Amino acid sequence: MPDLRTPEQAREWLDQQGKSVQDFARENDLDPATTYQVLAGRKKGRRGEAHRAAVLLGIKAGKLPPARSSKPAQPSQQ
């Protein structure tokens, strides 16, 4: 199992990459507010988008659910 980060280490990791929390959230199709809450420890990342954010930040080990799609479904052409 890979080494997990604490929320503080995850913030340092973002700083080392020169990314803001907003940039990270946007790049990974995450809600920025949820990402901030995971980093602050207000959300534990047990399910849903908080879980996805925690796994992508390296705070939690786990499988990633598919990203939510921001594109509406295309009607079939006949």
Side-chain angles (χ1 to χ4, degrees):
M1 176 166 39
D3 291 334
L4 297 178
R5 298 180 180 112
T6 64
E8 182 59 36
Q9 289 169 331
R11 281 186 178 276
E12 290 173 11
W13 174 71
L14 288 174
D15 285 344
Q16 290 170 357
Q17 294 185 37
K19 291 183 184 179
S20 68
V21 176
Q22 290 277 341
D23 291 338
F24 177 82
R26 204 174 4 259
E27 289 171 8
N28 290 286
D29 195 28
L30 294 167
D31 176 50
T34 300
T35 307
Y36 278 110
Q37 290 170 346
V38 168
L39 285 168
R42 288 189 295 275
K43 288 199 175 193
K44 303 300 180 198
R46 291 192 175 117
R47 62 189 64 84
E49 188 154 358
H51 169 80
R52 193 164 168 269
V55 171
L56 289 169
L57 288 164
I59 295 171
K60 179 180 179 184
K63 294 185 180 183
L64 291 176
R68 63 187 169 147
S69 176
S70 57
K71 297 178 184 176
Q74 296 287 330
S76 61
Q77 299 279 332
Q78 292 183 352

